[in-house]
């Protein structure tokens, strides 16, 4: 009696095993690199910030080294509030300098002056990076909320920076706001290989009412749904961790208060909360904040659940594109509102 051939079953088992391995690999979560913005004028990391950086294995610190704007009576762009380093950046973190440029300077500059500005920026940036404990930098990010009127000159600056010999080994990148993605025909695409999409400050801060101008899912969908997947640049994603206290008087915006915190709202003699909202009515004058009785404070913040919903939406729109997740920003009063597990959940949602 002949033995039955076992070749076919073996092949079948092999194919099933191979398919299982492929399926397992395809289902594994992507490892997204994590970064933080640092937006203070003095670099002196605290233990809370250092701990979260280490736990999340953050390998990049985007440090605002200066703003560029006109002074009150000036006619020439000037470095505003440059950073000072009291400590050096961790050796395991790349220092990526960020320069914020007020778009209004482009109304006064011609192409020659823009080239002059670029040449002045480079040694200043290099010196700050040196102060931060790094010999060089691999990326330079330029942050500007450009519009149709300032677009061409800002894009010219980006293009010219990439021709400067000192930046031959540096990738020049740009920030990108939601309205610039949606209105691509009007605002154009910055002439860089990579940009950081800033998923915050999307609502009307100055409008009175119980809404959140930092992060709003409806606005996110309106601006990005169906447009983000076709955007022609590699994108990193910046998400907000900060909160703020927006002040109104007679329903008119009067500013963001830096002298109020959550503990003030616990004093029922000081504030009365408008039920089911984040609006708080001041019951008496508050001299430390230069506020008057009857002023209304809107507390805006972003919950873990909102961040996760944003991550899931972006994952769908980006359709598997590689990106770094950058949290704004690294400060103890900001970071302490979220645990390591919270931020891990957000990252895992991408």
């Amino acid at each position: 009696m002949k033995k039955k051939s076992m070749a076919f079953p073996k092949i079948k088992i092999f194919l099933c095993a191979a398919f299982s391995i492929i399926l397992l690999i395809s289902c594994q979560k992507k490892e997204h690199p994590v970064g933080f913005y640092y937006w203070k004028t003095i670099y002196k990391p605290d233990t809370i910030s250092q701990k979260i950086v280490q736990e999340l294995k953050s390998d990049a610190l985007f440090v605002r080294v200066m703003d560029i704007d006109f002074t009150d009576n000036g006619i020439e762009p000037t470095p505003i509030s440059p950073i000072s380093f009291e400590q050096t950046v961790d050796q395991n973190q790349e220092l990526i300098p960020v320069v914020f440029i007020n778009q209004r300077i482009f109304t006064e500059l011609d192409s020659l002056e823009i080239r002059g500005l670029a040449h002045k920026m480079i040694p200043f940036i290099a010196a700050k990076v040196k102060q931060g404990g790094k010999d060089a930098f691999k990326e330079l990010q330029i942050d500007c909320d450009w519009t149709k009127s300032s677009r061409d000159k800002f894009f010219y600056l980006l293009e010219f920076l990439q021709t400067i010999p000192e930046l031959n080994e540096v990738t020049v990148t740009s920030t990108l706001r939601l309205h610039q993605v949606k209105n691509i025909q009007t605002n154009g695409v910055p002439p860089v290989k990579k940009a950081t999409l800033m998923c915050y400050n999307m609502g009307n801060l100055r409008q009175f009412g119980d809404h959140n101008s930092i992060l709003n899912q409806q606005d996110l969908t309106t601006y990005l749904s169906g447009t983000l997947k076709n955007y022609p640049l590699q994108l990193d994603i910046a998400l907000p961790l900060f909160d703020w206290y927006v002040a109104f008087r007679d329903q008119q915006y009067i500013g963001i208060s830096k002298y109020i915190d959550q503990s003030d709202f616990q004093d029922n003699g000081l504030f009365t909360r408008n039920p089911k909202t984040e609006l708080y009515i001041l019951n008496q004058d508050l001299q430390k904040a230069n506020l008057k009785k009857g002023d209304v404070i809107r507390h805006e913040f972003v919950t873990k659940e909102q961040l996760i919903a944003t991550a899931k939406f972006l994952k769908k729109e980006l359709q598997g594109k590689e990106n770094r997740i950058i949290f704004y920003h690294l400060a103890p009063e900001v970071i302490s509102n979220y645990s390591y597990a919270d931020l891990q959940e957000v990252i895992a949602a991408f």
Side-chain angles (χ1 to χ4, degrees):
M1 183 176 179
K2 292 183 179 179
K3 291 183 179 179
K4 292 182 179 179
S5 173
M6 297 297 292
F8 180 72
K10 286 182 178 178
I11 292 173
K12 187 176 180 180
I13 292 170
F14 172 78
L15 290 175
C16 288
F19 178 75
S20 298
I21 292 171
I22 292 170
L23 186 64
L24 179 63
I25 292 172
S26 65
C27 290
Q28 286 179 341
K29 294 291 290 183
K30 287 184 180 179
E31 287 291 330
H32 291 278
V34 176
F36 282 92
Y37 277 107
Y38 191 90
W39 219 257
K40 292 190 170 188
T41 55
I42 297 176
Y43 182 74
K44 187 178 181 181
D46 58 280
T47 53
I48 296 175
S49 300
Q50 288 176 317
K51 185 173 184 290
I52 200 73
V53 163
Q54 292 167 0
E55 288 177 333
L56 291 176
K57 297 182 174 61
S58 172
D59 63 351
L61 190 64
F62 291 74
V63 179
R64 186 209 67 92
V65 294
M66 63 174 164
D67 295 350
I68 294 179
D69 199 354
F70 295 125
T71 56
D72 291 340
N73 299 315
I75 56 174
E76 186 175 343
T78 304
I80 305 293
S81 303
I83 193 169
S84 298
F85 288 88
E86 291 192 3
Q87 297 181 32
T88 56
V89 174
D90 189 280
Q91 62 179 359
N92 295 320
Q93 276 196 303
E94 179 185 355
L95 193 167
I96 300 173
V98 181
V99 177
F100 173 79
I101 301 180
N102 193 317
Q103 66 155 334
R104 69 177 182 169
I105 72 165
F106 294 110
T107 62
E108 304 294 333
L109 302 185
D110 58 26
S111 58
L112 180 62
E113 290 168 323
I114 290 173
R115 294 197 296 272
L117 172 63
H119 282 299
K120 290 178 181 178
M121 287 169 56
I122 304 309
F124 189 98
I125 294 167
K128 288 299 178 184
V129 170
K130 195 83 171 177
Q131 288 176 21
K134 306 293 183 179
D135 293 328
F137 54 100
K138 299 177 182 178
E139 179 179 342
L140 168 62
Q141 186 173 98
I142 308 298
D143 180 16
C144 180
D145 188 7
W146 82 87
T147 60
K148 182 180 178 180
S149 61
S150 56
R151 175 195 64 195
D152 292 344
K153 289 182 178 180
F154 173 61
F155 285 7
Y156 180 75
L157 172 65
L158 292 176
E159 290 174 332
F160 185 74
L161 283 169
Q162 294 172 78
T163 69
I164 296 177
E166 293 91 330
L167 298 182
N168 280 345
E169 303 299 321
V170 175
T171 300
V172 176
T173 64
S174 170
T175 54
L176 189 65
R177 287 159 176 81
L178 271 61
H179 70 89
Q180 295 160 347
V181 175
K182 183 174 177 59
N183 302 317
I184 191 171
Q185 298 301 323
T186 301
N187 290 314
V189 178
V192 292
K193 294 180 180 178
K194 185 176 74 169
T196 295
L197 179 64
M198 305 172 77
C199 295
Y200 48 88
N201 293 2
M202 57 187 68
N204 189 343
L205 173 73
R206 296 171 178 266
Q207 180 181 341
F208 181 79
D210 183 39
H211 62 278
N212 193 327
S213 68
I214 297 176
L215 181 61
N216 182 292
Q217 206 65 39
Q218 183 176 347
D219 288 341
L220 200 71
T221 302
T222 299
Y223 280 105
L224 300 181
S225 184
T227 59
L228 190 58
K229 61 185 177 183
N230 297 318
Y231 201 78
L233 295 181
Q234 179 186 344
L235 295 176
D236 288 341
I237 303 297
L239 296 176
L241 300 182
F242 64 94
D243 66 340
W244 55 29
Y245 301 87
V246 190
F248 297 88
R249 181 170 298 153
D250 298 324
Q251 298 191 7
Q252 300 298 311
Y253 171 82
I254 58 174
I256 296 174
S257 178
K258 298 180 180 179
Y259 302 99
I260 295 176
D261 58 40
Q262 189 65 35
S263 63
D264 290 319
F265 292 152
Q266 308 306 316
D267 185 346
N268 294 329
L270 187 60
F271 281 102
T272 299
R273 182 177 180 178
N274 189 329
K276 297 182 180 180
T277 73
E278 290 300 329
L279 298 177
Y280 296 81
I281 304 168
L282 189 58
N283 297 324
Q284 56 184 278
D285 291 353
L286 188 60
Q287 292 185 351
K288 71 171 185 177
N290 197 27
L291 295 171
K292 297 181 178 180
K293 180 181 179 180
D295 288 349
V296 176
I297 307 300
R298 181 172 69 223
H299 182 208
E300 296 187 10
F301 57 93
V302 182
T303 66
K304 178 190 72 173
E305 289 72 24
Q306 287 175 305
L307 291 171
I308 291 173
T310 298
K312 289 180 177 179
F313 169 79
L314 292 172
K315 178 183 178 180
K316 181 184 68 174
E317 293 297 318
L318 289 167
Q319 297 185 334
K321 293 181 180 178
E322 296 291 331
N323 48 68
R324 179 188 296 277
I325 312 302
I326 310 170
F327 292 110
Y328 183 92
H329 63 116
L330 196 62
E333 65 273 17
V334 173
I335 292 296
S336 59
N337 293 323
Y338 303 87
S339 68
Y340 163 71
D342 290 338
L343 298 184
Q344 274 289 67
E345 278 192 67
V346 175
I347 296 165
F350 277 93

